[in-house]
Amino acid sequence: MSLLLIAPERNLEPFKKALFRQDPDLDIDIWPDVTDRKRVTFAVTWNHPENLLDKFPNLKAVSSFGAGVEHLTEDKSLRDDITITRLVAPALKTQVADYVEMSCYNVMRRSADYFRQEQKKVWKVLSHSMKKDLAIGILGLGEIGANAAERMAGNQWHVSGWSRGPKQVSGVRTFSGPEGKTPFLKETNIAVSLLPLTPETEGILNLDLFKKLKKPAYLINAGRGGHLVEEDLIYALDAGILEGAVLDVFDKEPLPDNHPFWNRPAVTITPHIASKTDPEDLARLLIENYKRMLSGLELQFTVDRTRGY
């Protein structure tokens, strides 16, 4: 039985070495160099080629290299009997919380404006908000979202959160379901999307949502590119509905050179770096699930295909 790593755009050698450090007896292949397809029972993927996973007849489980799993849930060739799991690593949660808080501080203290002034050698003091003036609203209170919300609340930000179903997070005012979304938005200045990408959340960051936010209003998207209706964001910025946006994820990555986001000073762009999978973290979690699979035990962090997370 073997463990297969698939991520065409990544250097997977550090992950293979981390796995061997924790268990030297593992049988590991890195796609496309597969010794025997019949031996593959567990695969770990990120943006794998279409119709690849059905080429392994004894595949029992597949895991994502990151928190997102839509590349797996949307793969029509993945058999129904194959268990999908996601990566819930402490380092990922910490990094996302760091990114969200950094972005909120940058919005509050107008770091992007000062950077542009520096490029032009302009010395000018700008007005800025205080923590008490800006309410943070986190969409998505799963493992990652709840951790970010709790961190922010613990650092004296006013934080609320919205989720599909009821959640309790220490220090955070929570809302849930369709009936809770509008009240949540009306008390939110900085909307932070950390949702999974599902049919229900695709396009959720749209003009209707932007109009309901409390002024001044900002957007931070560190969830998925598919959450955002890009044309609506451009309109909202141009019309003054939003003051600014921080975007880490996009429908098409890398972001094309001719994309209008590049030409808008109100948009801060980062290249999908809110979190980066740590090889040691991944190795520890994968080996635990791999051994559980071999022993016939229930796997950790399984994904409900009907919900998409």
Side-chain angles (χ1 to χ4, degrees):
M1 295 184 180
S2 69
L3 180 64
L4 176 62
L5 309 181
I6 311 170
E9 299 172 1
R10 294 190 183 191
N11 175 16
L12 296 180
E13 285 300 326
F15 295 94
K16 184 176 182 179
K17 290 177 181 178
L19 286 162
F20 278 139
R21 278 195 292 271
Q22 297 200 30
D23 187 343
D25 297 324
L26 286 173
D27 183 5
I28 302 174
D29 288 319
I30 295 180
W31 184 86
D33 298 323
V34 182
T35 306
D36 182 353
R37 291 189 176 192
K38 293 181 180 179
R39 288 185 54 78
V40 175
T41 54
F42 199 116
V44 191
T45 88
W46 188 259
N47 292 338
H48 59 272
E50 189 176 1
N51 297 322
L52 174 65
L53 296 177
D54 64 353
K55 303 297 190 296
F56 304 98
N58 296 313
L59 186 65
K60 295 180 179 178
V62 59
S63 172
S64 172
F65 262 105
V69 293
E70 59 271 12
H71 58 295
L72 294 172
T73 58
E74 295 173 4
D75 185 344
K76 304 302 182 185
S77 70
L78 194 62
R79 299 192 315 271
D80 291 341
D81 63 317
I82 296 174
T83 302
I84 300 175
T85 69
R86 58 195 176 94
L87 186 63
V88 182
L92 286 181
K93 294 193 291 185
T94 298
Q95 289 177 72
V96 172
D98 289 343
Y99 182 90
V100 170
E101 190 163 25
M102 171 194 73
S103 299
C104 288
Y105 274 118
N106 286 339
V107 165
M108 181 180 75
R109 297 305 298 264
R110 300 182 63 178
S111 298
D113 292 330
Y114 280 118
F115 176 76
R116 283 189 289 272
Q117 285 191 175
E118 178 190 358
Q119 301 304 103
K120 298 176 181 178
K121 300 180 182 178
V122 172
W123 181 281
K124 181 182 178 182
V125 177
L126 304 174
S127 61
H128 67 262
S129 302
M130 305 287 284
K131 280 184 180 179
K132 63 181 178 62
D133 304 320
L134 297 174
I136 314 301
I138 295 182
L139 294 112
L141 294 175
E143 295 270 353
I144 291 174
N147 182 68
E150 193 166 358
R151 158 88 76 84
M152 298 288 286
N155 287 338
Q156 286 73 57
W157 291 89
H158 173 70
V159 186
S160 59
W162 177 82
S163 55
R164 181 175 180 265
K167 297 285 181 72
Q168 297 296 322
V169 181
S170 177
V172 177
R173 179 172 159 82
T174 58
F175 300 81
S176 64
E179 68 283 357
K181 190 162 72 167
T182 295
F184 160 78
L185 294 171
K186 285 185 175 180
E187 67 173 53
T188 293
N189 294 106
I190 304 178
V192 181
S193 179
L194 297 176
L195 290 160
L197 184 60
T198 69
E200 292 177 346
T201 64
E202 186 172 3
I204 193 172
L205 303 178
N206 54 37
L207 188 58
D208 180 62
L209 181 145
F210 302 148
K211 287 180 175 179
K212 291 176 181 176
L213 294 172
K214 184 179 177 182
K215 304 295 184 182
Y218 304 86
L219 171 69
I220 298 171
N221 188 15
R224 293 289 175 267
H227 293 147
L228 178 63
V229 180
E230 295 182 347
E231 297 82 0
D232 285 7
L233 175 60
I234 291 169
Y235 178 86
L237 292 169
D238 291 351
I241 297 167
L242 290 180
E243 299 294 321
V246 179
L247 307 177
D248 186 56
V249 288
F250 305 89
D251 260 338
K252 186 173 182 180
E253 297 181 0
L255 193 65
D257 292 345
N258 61 351
H259 198 287
F261 285 164
W262 289 115
N263 300 319
R264 279 176 166 71
V267 178
T268 298
I269 294 168
T270 55
H272 206 143
I273 49 79
S275 64
K276 183 179 179 182
T277 303
D278 177 71
E280 299 299 332
D281 259 358
L282 178 133
R284 177 176 52 80
L285 294 169
L286 284 182
I287 289 174
E288 173 64 24
N289 256 356
Y290 184 57
K291 290 183 176 179
R292 282 171 174 259
M293 181 205 69
L294 293 177
S295 300
L297 300 176
E298 184 177 353
L299 304 189
Q300 295 179 324
F301 312 122
T302 57
V303 172
D304 183 334
R305 293 199 195 196
T306 59
R307 293 192 303 176
Y309 60 93

